Amino acid sequence: MEFTHINDEGRAHMVDVSGKADTQRMARAEATVWMKPETLSAIREGAVKKGDVLAVAQVAGIMAAKHTPGLIPMCHPLMLTKADISFSFDEANSALRLESLVKCTGATGVEMEAITAVTVAALTVYDMVKAVDRFIRIGDIGLLEKDGGKSGHIFRD
């Protein structure tokens, strides 16, 4: 097996994508934040002392998507054309579900940007409410869908 991110000297390098055609790229990722029911209610009602949890988490997720190459060593800097975070409340499981959508036109995909965005947004939710709920859990982080490039349109069932 030949490693794609190892140079001739056996050290890590960023892959050369300069020969690849620019295509429209899209990725969606998700994360879940489980918490006490009263914490979930406080978020929904805008009653958290630190402010609007969802607004702050949304901005944090967008910023994270834009800064992914500074966090993940082999990620290429991309000119993102869209980054967004959406939220849904799962009262039955006392959870907040987060979903990111990231797009660009380029030679490589935006999966890492989408996953980073939703992860940082989830961490921001934790930061905003940790004073009232210290045992929040974050999980189920992963890619939902991607489109563009050699692999085309794929999605998780």
Side-chain angles (χ1 to χ4, degrees), residues 27 30-31 57 69 76 99 114 135 151 153:
E30 70 176 342
H76 292 81
E99 186 175 308
F135 298 105
S151 59
H153 189 198

Side-chain angles (χ1 to χ4, degrees), residues 77-157:
L78 302 172
M79 181 62 69
L80 301 182
T81 58
K82 180 173 182 65
D84 198 8
I85 306 289
S86 60
F87 305 91
S88 59
F89 290 86
D90 179 354
E91 304 289 344
N93 293 301
S94 192
L96 181 66
R97 185 170 177 273
L98 295 79
E99 186 175 308
S100 64
L101 171 64
V102 180
K103 294 181 178 183
C104 81
T105 300
T108 188
V110 290
E111 300 94 83
M112 293 306 300
E113 288 75 8
I115 294 168
T116 300
V118 79
T119 302
V120 170
L123 288 168
T124 301
V125 170
Y126 178 90
D127 182 57
M128 294 287 290
V129 297
K130 69 181 184 264
V132 295
D133 193 347
R134 295 249 184 233
F135 298 105
I136 292 169
R137 289 184 304 115
I138 298 170
D140 289 346
I141 298 168
L143 185 68
L144 289 170
E145 177 184 17
K146 72 173 280 305
D147 193 19
K150 185 170 55 174
S151 59
H153 189 198
I154 61 170
F155 56 94
R156 189 173 75 207
D157 291 328

